[in-house]
């Protein structure tokens, strides 16, 4: 899988991020966020131990 990042950290790159489980697996009803250039930090996830994974560039 891709580069996972913890909530509350500054994202490596802007883009679309989806919530992943503690070991990178899918979670039911995952949160999805768009991080633009200059946005900090990554928001909290729905459960402790979950991470954020970048899925692509920001949508226009």
């Amino acid at each position: 899988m891709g580069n996972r990042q913890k909530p509350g950290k500054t994202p490596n790159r802007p883009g679309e991020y989806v919530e992943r489980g503690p070991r990178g697996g899918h979670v039911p009803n995952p949160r999805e966020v768009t991080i633009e250039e200059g946005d900090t930090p990554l928001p909290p996830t729905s459960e402790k131990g979950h991470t954020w994974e970048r899925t692509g560039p920001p949508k226009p």
Side-chain angles (χ1 to χ4, degrees):
M1 283 261 151
N3 183 16
R4 293 190 313 258
Q5 298 179 60
K6 294 182 179 182
K9 300 290 181 179
T10 301
N12 294 336
R13 298 177 14 193
E16 299 294 322
Y17 286 81
V18 66
E19 183 178 6
R20 295 288 184 207
R23 293 183 280 170
H26 294 281
V27 295
N29 300 317
R31 291 184 65 197
E32 296 180 16
V33 297
T34 300
I35 301 296
E36 298 290 339
E37 188 71 40
D39 286 351
T40 58
L42 286 164
T45 54
S46 62
E47 290 187 29
K48 184 176 175 135
H50 288 191
T51 58
W52 291 106
E53 181 178 40
R54 186 175 185 272
T55 58
K59 295 177 183 172

